[in-house]
Amino acid sequence: MQSEFAVIDNQFNSIAAANGVDDANNKIQTTLNYFETPDIPVLIIISQNGGFNDYDRPTTITKFLNYLKDKKAYKYRVESAKKNSSGKITELELITK
Amino acid sequence: MKRIALALIILASFGVSGLFAQELSPERKQAIDSLALEKVRDLSKYISIIGSKETPWSEANRVIDRAEELFMQGSEIGVSSLARPEISYYTVRKYFERLMRLNYNKVEISWYNIEYVSDLQKQPDGTYVGVITIFQKFKGYDAEGRLVYQDTTKKDITVYVKRKETQIGGRLIGFWDVLLGDIRVKETTR
């Protein structure tokens, strides 16, 4: 069964697998359309224990997308997303695979 | 009066045991161990991008900013060469700017055998401190594509992991902040 966030996960994977810097930058611009602003917060869960989450240092969606471009790997999946009335994501939570 | 004193002693004892109860479970400790290792791998990638002559100027500068965010303020990075015995230490920004301007036509930098040489240990202020060792292979080529310099350097990186909190969307989020400290050269070989 596909996750409700499969579209976002696929976008992130496509940036990580981009064919060079220009291709990655074009994909980043396309992906940013899913988000309310380029600065929405991204939280990354590094472990879960008894309903308690441990997070990495919070980042922004622009920094995170550039991180995927630099690392050429997407080792997370979307855990949750908050959206505004226009359906744009205002806060994203990822979890380490 | 004696009963009140006894009650206070018992309460204090529970307070102390409560502190010990805050020690990390093996699973959470493993997660922050992995997080710190991943930050060092991030740095490895950033160094490779900044050093590469194929990286556009604007991209290299953006990556320098990201790489700088990995470090504690005031940290230094050691640089060695087979051509001279001394080791030079530069501030993080200066190191990356020198790396970007190295006088070769092509530069290849790779890190391998990234592992803990000293496990993360909790300090009295709650910060976890450890040392990660890496091996760096450096290759510099001239305009004709000839390999004109190469070395392998073993380096030790001090890592600091501290629990912090920040407000996001009206919620208090606790997170583990990993910061890299000094990078010390241990040995340089051909």
Side-chain angles (χ1 to χ4, degrees):
Chain A
M1 196 180 82
Q2 262 207 333
S3 148
E4 63 174 308
F5 305 116
V7 173
I8 299 298
D9 281 323
N10 290 341
Q11 287 295 127
F12 291 169
N13 271 313
S14 75
I15 293 167
N19 189 19
V21 171
D22 291 340
D23 185 31
N25 285 340
N26 288 334
K27 285 176 170 148
I28 286 173
Q29 285 312 310
T30 307
T31 305
L32 282 173
N33 289 324
Y34 290 91
F35 298 88
E36 185 179 53
T37 72
D39 297 321
I40 70 115
V42 176
L43 299 171
I44 298 172
I45 300 168
I46 60 164
S47 79
Q48 289 182 309
N49 278 290
F52 181 80
N53 291 338
D54 271 323
Y55 293 95
D56 188 359
R57 186 198 302 173
T59 186
T60 67
I61 189 61
T62 300
K63 283 185 179 177
F64 181 72
L65 298 182
N66 277 294
Y67 177 76
L68 297 180
K69 173 176 71 178
D70 297 335
K71 287 281 278 190
K72 297 181 170 45
Y74 175 55
K75 298 193 284 189
Y76 313 93
R77 65 175 167 76
V78 176
E79 175 76 355
S80 70
K82 288 182 182 171
K83 294 182 179 178
N84 65 14
S85 55
S86 311
K88 302 262 188 184
I89 296 170
T90 59
E91 188 182 309
L92 191 66
E93 196 174 57
L94 307 174
I95 187 162
T96 309
K97 276 186 196 168
Chain B
M1 193 64 192
K2 275 186 179 174
R3 282 183 182 171
I4 292 171
L6 185 64
L8 284 172
I9 290 167
I10 291 169
L11 276 175
S13 304
F14 275 115
V16 170
S17 60
L19 278 177
F20 283 114
Q22 288 173 8
E23 291 298 321
L24 292 178
S25 67
E27 293 79 13
R28 293 181 73 198
K29 177 68 167 36
Q30 170 75 42
I32 63 168
D33 282 348
S34 300
L35 182 65
L37 273 176
E38 194 60 25
K39 299 297 177 187
V40 172
R41 291 191 193 102
D42 291 350
L43 175 64
S44 158
K45 192 75 190 177
Y46 291 151
I47 284 177
S48 160
I49 294 170
I50 295 163
S52 171
K53 299 296 177 190
E54 292 169 11
T55 305
W57 181 260
S58 60
E59 280 292 303
N61 278 294
R62 178 189 59 77
V63 174
I64 286 177
D65 288 342
R66 290 292 80 77
E68 204 176 15
E69 287 174 5
L70 290 174
F71 286 88
M72 283 183 84
Q73 267 202 331
S75 297
E76 292 184 328
I77 300 178
V79 176
S80 59
S81 167
L82 292 169
R84 51 186 167 77
E86 71 274 16
I87 296 163
S88 305
Y89 281 89
Y90 298 94
T91 60
V92 171
R93 187 90 197 175
K94 189 95 177 167
Y95 170 85
F96 290 130
E97 287 170 354
R98 285 185 84 256
L99 178 62
M100 195 165 59
R101 296 188 180 94
L102 284 178
N103 200 19
Y104 297 100
N105 261 70
K106 184 183 165 195
V107 168
E108 290 173 354
I109 303 168
S110 58
W111 284 16
Y112 59 95
N113 288 359
I114 299 171
E115 57 190 30
Y116 280 95
V117 67
S118 169
D119 284 343
L120 289 174
Q121 298 286 338
K122 194 174 186 181
Q123 306 300 303
D125 71 348
T127 305
Y128 287 80
V129 181
V131 179
I132 291 173
T133 191
I134 67 101
F135 285 84
Q136 173 180 286
K137 185 85 187 163
F138 178 96
K139 289 181 178 179
Y141 298 84
D142 67 11
E144 281 73 45
R146 290 175 301 209
L147 179 63
V148 290
Y149 180 83
Q150 69 171 326
D151 68 21
T152 300
T153 310
K154 183 184 177 190
K155 299 184 176 192
D156 281 354
I157 306 171
T158 310
V159 292
Y160 302 85
V161 186
K162 188 159 194 168
R163 183 97 183 142
K164 293 183 180 174
E165 290 181 331
T166 186
Q167 284 272 354
I168 289 181
R171 286 178 299 146
L172 198 60
I173 300 288
F175 64 96
W176 291 102
D177 198 24
V178 177
L179 287 169
L180 308 182
D182 292 339
I183 300 185
R184 299 267 156 202
V185 172
K186 303 311 284 183
E187 62 181 51
T188 304
T189 55
R190 193 167 297 278

